[in-house]
Amino acid sequence: MQTLNAHDVVRMRTVLEKFGKLPVPVEGIDEAADLYDSGLTSHASVNVMIALEDEFDVEFPDTMLQKSTFGSINAISAAIAQLTD
């Protein structure tokens, strides 16, 4: 599985913090934890996706537009790493 470097993980977590509207601080969420269990809504996940596209200058293809792509920090990191490779 591809992963992001530490700088890009910080960028991704910043986007998640700003647009995810989670009831808990993102820095306290484990990379493998289910973001939906942490309070991420479907609506917020769309906002996160759009903000990540802007931040990383990528476009999520239709095949990645599924709940599992945004289900954890690890999943988001792997998706962005794949798109920026």
Side-chain angles (χ1 to χ4, degrees):
M1 177 170 76
Q2 299 169 319
T3 59
L4 295 175
N5 63 45
H7 173 71
D8 287 342
V9 169
V10 169
R11 290 170 57 202
M12 186 257 307
R13 280 182 174 266
T14 300
V15 167
L16 188 58
E17 181 75 42
K18 185 173 182 182
F19 294 95
K21 299 187 184 209
L22 295 164
V24 296
V26 170
E27 66 266 6
I29 299 175
D30 183 78
E31 287 82 8
D34 187 309
L35 292 174
Y36 294 97
D37 286 347
S38 298
L40 185 67
T41 65
S42 295
H43 183 264
S45 69
V46 172
N47 292 334
V48 168
M49 179 199 70
I50 293 167
L52 289 169
E53 288 181 332
D54 289 344
E55 178 68 27
F56 289 94
D57 195 26
V58 297
E59 185 173 330
F60 287 92
D62 290 346
T63 57
M64 285 187 171
L65 300 182
Q66 50 193 328
K67 188 175 180 178
S68 61
T69 302
F70 304 94
S72 70
I73 290 170
N74 283 342
I76 296 170
S77 178
I80 294 170
Q82 182 179 343
L83 293 172
T84 58
D85 187 25

